[in-house]
Every structure is written in structure tokens, then in C-alpha cells.
Amino acid sequence: MLRLGRREFGTHEPVIMAIVNRTPDSFYDQGATFRDEPALARVEQAVAEGAAIIDIGGVKAGPGEEVTAEEEARRTVGFVAEVRRRFPDVIISVDTWRAEVGEAVCEAGADVLNDAWGGVDPRLAEVAARYGVGLVCTHAGGAEPRTRPHRVTYDDVMADILRVTVGLAERAAGLGVPRESILIDPGHDFNKNTRHSLEATRRLGEMVETGWPVLVSLSNKDFVGETLDRPVKERVVGTLATTAVSAWLGAQVYRVHEVAETRQVLDMVASIAGHRQPAVARRGLA
């Protein structure tokens, strides 16, 4: 059982986490939700389309202008409070690696801390434990935040992913983060080349076998773009194909830009796997 915020999810229940970037320079939407009203409209649309989690980020993952902890908090804390007020039942996640930002957003009502940089600030897990919120434990290959990979190598990329993410998850549980609220993430593109990310996808079942719920953040990433030789705005089909494979292999939470399309993919895979009944079943029965 996965428990986040006020919600509980069964083992075979796929969960959509919708991305809402509070940044002026995000790689995909180019700052479309930097201002409050467009961002709140995005939350409303995502919830209506089937997102259970809203993931709010105040710093883009890639290199760019410096964003201090104070500025990151300014972009996220008040917005978290407003989303909590308007959407009391939605699960609010905040994408941050900084403990001081994590503490501020938890005070404002966040339910999950999404640590995409692999525990670079070990105090973030302590914050999650203190507030009793969920934690995403990600493999980032030891990279510093907001850096790109350069000729990175692994003897066995999945072995390293398992060592790091399971280690972070067990540490978090030992600190007091509820075990049922901890997820592990292979960290596609994070200190990985395209072949690493493809292998991580192909071997995702090994993560599922650990018993920790698996989150994948695939949406329009560079490994999709390089695999198909497509620019950022033309990666949706590749993303959805990777989503379907990840769902078949047992991933549970999907961090996405396209909520409605992802919902259809996940529902279709769940029905093929026998975990969901068709919405309508008339053919050959009339």
C-alpha cells in the first residue's frame, strides 16, 4: 500500500504526478506556469484530467541562472499554501533538494518531498521524517544539482541505481519517514547518457522487485529525444511508449506534463494486465 497525503493506493493502482514549474526558464513549457494564475489553472486542469499528485518545482533541473534557497522558497511556499487551500484533497509534492526549502513547504502544506538529486542534502530526509511526509529517493549518480552528465560510466547502471535508491529509502525509513510513503526513482537523464536511461527502463522490473514503489519521470526528456531524434516539443509519442513499457514492468507513479494522454496509456496497460476492467464492454455482447 502506498500512502501519500490523505490518499492510499493499491499495488496495481497507477498514479499520475502532474508537473507544475514555478520557473521562468523551464525546459519544456518555457515559463508558462511561472505566474500564479496560469499555474493554478494548470493545477485545476491536471486534477480534472486525473492527476492525484501535483509536483511543484521552483528551480529547473538543468544549468542556468543561480536560484538561491530564498528565491526558490519565494516561488514555491506561497503557491503550495494556495494549492492546499483551493484543492484540499490533492497530494502536493515539491521538487527540491534543499532542506530549508523542504521545511518551508511542509509548513505550507506539502505532502511529499521529491528529492531529484539523490540525497545531496541528507537533511532533506530528516525534514520528511519530522513532518511525516512522503519522500522520493532518486538516483542521480552523485551529480551536483543542475549539472549535466559528461562521459559518465557505470559498470552496471541498474546495480548502481538499486544500491543508491534502496540505500536512501532504508535510511529515510530509519530516520522515521513512513515506509509506506517512500518511493524510489531511477532518475532518467540524471547523470546518465541515453543508453543508461534506456537500460534503466528495460530493467525497471528489478526496481519493482525491491518492494519499494517506483516513480518514473520520463516526460519529454533528452533520452527520448535522442532515441528518436526529436526536439523537445515532439517527444510526446516516445514518452508515452516509454510510459507503457514502464507500466507493464510495474512502475506505479508517473511524473508527467501530458496528464490526459498518460491516463489513457496507464488505463490501457492496466486493462491488458488484468488489473482494470474496460470502461465499456459491449462488443460481441449485444
Side-chain angles (χ1 to χ4, degrees):
M1 182 68 68
L2 173 64
R3 182 176 292 114
L4 301 171
R6 302 181 183 182
R7 299 280 303 276
E8 291 184 350
F9 304 94
T11 303
H12 297 298
E13 186 176 357
V15 183
I16 294 177
M17 170 188 274
I19 300 165
V20 179
N21 289 313
R22 304 308 317 284
T23 59
D25 53 357
S26 48
F27 91 99
Y28 185 65
D29 60 31
Q30 298 295 303
T33 53
F34 183 47
R35 294 186 299 109
D36 286 352
E37 286 310 312
L40 288 166
R42 160 69 176 162
V43 173
E44 185 173 13
Q45 178 187 11
V47 170
E49 290 178 346
I53 309 170
I54 301 298
D55 190 52
I56 299 163
V59 186
K60 78 169 186 175
E65 291 186 10
E66 180 187 3
V67 180
T68 64
E70 291 76 17
E71 173 61 16
E72 183 184 358
R74 188 190 69 78
R75 295 176 180 182
T76 55
V77 175
F79 187 72
V80 167
E82 185 61 15
V83 173
R84 177 85 294 146
R85 186 183 72 81
R86 295 197 190 191
F87 305 91
D89 296 325
V90 77
I91 301 163
I92 300 175
S93 169
V94 176
D95 180 353
T96 186
W97 74 88
R98 291 168 165 148
E100 58 267 45
V101 175
E103 183 139 15
V105 296
C106 285
E107 285 286 345
D111 303 300
V112 180
L113 296 176
N114 181 9
D115 183 6
W117 288 101
V120 68
D121 184 347
R123 298 174 301 156
L124 190 63
E126 297 169 13
V127 172
R130 191 158 59 251
Y131 284 88
V133 301
L135 182 69
V136 180
C137 300
T138 307
H139 180 272
E144 289 295 314
R146 307 193 67 193
T147 59
R148 296 195 189 281
H150 179 67
R151 297 184 178 178
V152 61
T153 61
Y154 298 96
D155 292 334
D156 183 328
V157 67
M158 182 50 74
D160 204 70
I161 288 169
L162 292 172
R163 177 184 63 81
V164 170
T165 58
V166 172
L168 289 170
E170 292 290 356
R171 175 180 180 268
L175 289 168
V177 180
R179 292 186 74 91
E180 65 274 17
S181 302
I182 299 172
L183 304 102
I184 59 174
D185 177 353
H188 289 81
D189 274 2
F190 279 67
N191 213 33
K192 298 172 186 68
N193 62 34
T194 289
R195 288 184 175 86
H196 292 146
S197 292
L198 291 172
E199 182 172 351
T201 305
R202 188 163 57 247
R203 298 174 61 186
L204 203 65
E206 295 175 45
M207 295 189 75
V208 175
E209 288 171 3
T210 68
W212 296 103
V214 175
L215 179 151
V216 288
S217 182
L218 311 168
S219 196
N220 303 295
K221 283 193 168 180
D222 284 348
F223 83 95
V224 175
E226 287 193 357
T227 299
L228 301 177
D229 193 18
R230 290 290 184 269
V232 170
K233 295 296 184 180
E234 296 178 16
R235 298 175 183 177
V236 175
V237 173
T239 296
L240 295 175
T242 313
T243 298
V245 171
S246 300
W248 187 257
L249 292 174
Q252 185 164 17
V253 180
Y254 300 81
R255 182 178 181 272
V256 305
H257 296 98
E258 285 82 21
V259 175
E261 294 86 343
T262 302
R263 181 79 270 162
Q264 290 188 48
V265 169
L266 295 177
D267 285 349
M268 192 69 198
V269 173
S271 295
I272 294 169
H275 304 314
R276 173 187 178 272
Q277 293 299 312
V280 177
R282 291 189 292 261
R283 182 174 175 80
L285 301 176

